[in-house]
Amino acid sequence: MSGAGPYGMPQQTTNGLAVASLVSGIVCCLPPLGLVLGLIALPQARKKQQKGAGMAIAGIVLSALSSLLLVIGLVTGGIGDVWREFEKGMDEAASAQSPFSLRTGDCFRVKGKLESYTTDVDTVPCDTPHEGEVTGGFKLTGFTRWPGESAIDRVAEERCDRTNSAYAMDTWAVPEDALVYYYMPTKESWRVGDRTVTCAFATEKEPFTVSLRSDQSTLDAHQVHYLRNVNPIDDALFAEPEEDVDTDLAVNTAWAARVHKAVTSASSALRGHAWPDASAKPVSELTRKLDAAAVKWKKLATAEDAEAFWDVYEEAYDALSTDFERESRASLKLTETLEGDGARV
């Protein structure tokens, strides 16, 4: 017979209030509630011949102890200390993140030494000291299995360099010791589906104290046009070959041709833009100087021998002095100073 106990006697049930009293007493969330529920459940269970008297008694005892501790805590101020520690722990937990949960624009502090496999960082406001700033990220594709650190490094270095350049277009504002940095999957995290590379600027010296971001979300159209066309000059200059011109003239003249192209392209793009009144004259003067520099770099690119190359080398570099840009940058409210002696070297 369904619902019947042994020998046809009704099956004994457990009093629900007794269970609730015990649970409230154990978790200590609302001590008085557990006490009240236990005091109601105890006579009720006896009257209805239900199970749960022991639970009700345990709930009453635990809730009474919890209530006593609560009163003592309120009188002595201990509850306030506990709550403050709880709030502190919650704040720390909220700011602590895995590098793989960081988002573009987040500034972060690293707990301990800056490592590519750090698993715990703290996000902080960008106007406070921090070791890193996230510039973007991407998912690794094209690998059917763990490719190894070296393979990921090759992809990450190239793509994070481009990502950082797009994030900080005003390169003069980037500290000299800023590194292109990235967090990448480990062999262990790869097994559970992690394919994220997080790109960042980072420093192992003096912490950053401002955001390095200068992209289309923070710059106006005139600033973006200026930087987009002038920055390739520095990119070309920094690609100067390691081979000495005396041993490899061809590779050096090819590099000079690349710089010449960047200079002439910048001059043309700047000249063809409608600048604000405050910038029109400074930018026009800059284009004149770029045209003069292009003549020098053309000679460098067409040098017939090493001697002819060296004859114009210093003149070509001097023709691209950063001093030429300061007035135009100031008129556009871009960074006006660059660490160093004012020459692009």
Side-chain angles (χ1 to χ4, degrees):
M1 181 182 295
S2 176
Y7 309 105
M9 295 293 291
Q11 189 174 29
Q12 194 175 23
T13 59
T14 301
N15 186 275
L17 293 178
V19 176
S21 174
L22 178 61
V23 172
S24 297
I26 292 173
V27 300
C28 301
C29 56
L30 292 171
L33 177 61
L35 180 61
V36 172
L37 291 175
L39 292 172
I40 296 174
L42 187 58
Q44 191 180 85
R46 288 173 177 168
K47 182 178 180 180
K48 296 183 178 181
Q49 295 184 338
Q50 291 178 306
K51 296 178 182 179
M55 293 182 185
I57 293 171
I60 291 170
V61 173
L62 291 172
S63 296
L65 290 173
S66 298
S67 298
L68 180 61
L69 291 173
L70 177 62
V71 172
I72 293 173
L74 291 172
V75 171
T76 63
I79 292 296
D81 292 338
V82 171
W83 181 253
R84 282 189 289 274
E85 287 300 314
F86 174 76
E87 286 185 318
K88 181 180 178 182
M90 290 298 290
D91 289 341
E92 291 179 353
S95 63
Q97 295 181 321
S98 160
F100 303 111
S101 65
L102 293 170
R103 296 292 179 265
T104 300
D106 282 348
C107 293
F108 60 90
R109 298 220 68 172
V110 177
K111 294 181 178 180
K113 189 176 180 182
L114 189 67
E115 297 285 353
S116 60
Y117 295 117
T118 297
T119 58
D120 194 12
V121 297
D122 289 334
T123 55
V124 297
C126 291
D127 59 358
T128 61
H130 54 280
E131 287 83 24
E133 181 171 352
V134 179
T135 59
F138 61 92
K139 296 280 187 180
L140 290 165
T141 58
F143 300 108
T144 57
R145 58 183 178 180
W146 169 247
E149 295 176 14
S150 297
I152 297 178
D153 273 329
R154 286 192 293 272
V155 175
E157 285 178 7
E158 180 182 347
R159 292 195 59 174
C160 284
D161 184 58
R162 295 202 305 266
T163 298
N164 284 20
S165 295
Y167 183 87
M169 295 181 68
D170 189 358
T171 56
W172 287 24
V174 178
E176 191 175 24
D177 60 355
L179 307 171
V180 176
Y181 198 74
Y182 50 86
Y183 289 113
M184 64 183 188
T186 63
K187 189 174 184 179
E188 291 71 25
S189 68
W190 183 275
R191 291 173 183 159
V192 294
D194 177 25
R195 301 291 185 273
T196 301
V197 173
T198 302
C199 305
F201 278 114
T203 178
E204 294 179 321
K205 297 181 180 179
E206 289 296 318
F208 305 136
T209 54
V210 295
S211 172
L212 304 182
R213 190 167 196 167
S214 56
D215 58 13
Q216 294 188 61
S217 70
T218 63
L219 301 174
D220 64 37
H222 301 298
Q223 293 170 322
V224 169
H225 184 81
Y226 181 91
L227 294 171
R228 184 174 286 161
N229 289 285
V230 171
N231 284 351
I233 297 175
D234 283 334
D235 293 339
L237 286 169
F238 293 152
E240 183 173 1
E242 295 181 3
E243 296 85 353
D244 191 278
V245 68
D246 294 301
T247 59
D248 197 334
L249 176 64
V251 73
N252 282 273
T253 53
W255 160 69
R258 179 184 170 188
V259 176
H260 174 262
K261 181 179 180 180
V263 171
T264 55
S265 295
S267 177
S268 176
L270 295 179
R271 188 177 290 106
H273 185 75
W275 299 100
D277 291 342
S279 302
K281 184 177 179 180
V283 174
S284 177
E285 178 62 16
L286 175 61
T287 60
R288 185 187 67 78
K289 292 174 180 177
L290 290 175
D291 289 342
V295 173
K296 303 291 185 182
W297 284 92
K298 181 67 172 179
K299 290 181 178 179
L300 208 62
T302 57
E304 296 182 355
D305 53 40
E307 183 178 356
F309 189 93
W310 288 123
D311 283 345
V312 74
Y313 179 81
E314 289 188 13
E315 291 182 19
Y317 255 114
D318 290 343
L320 290 177
S321 168
T322 54
D323 287 332
F324 297 163
E325 276 193 63
R326 290 203 168 99
E327 191 176 349
S328 56
R329 281 179 165 270
S331 72
L332 289 165
K333 296 182 172 56
L334 294 169
T335 305
E336 301 173 37
T337 58
L338 177 69
E339 293 184 49
D341 59 5
R344 286 183 165 97
V345 293

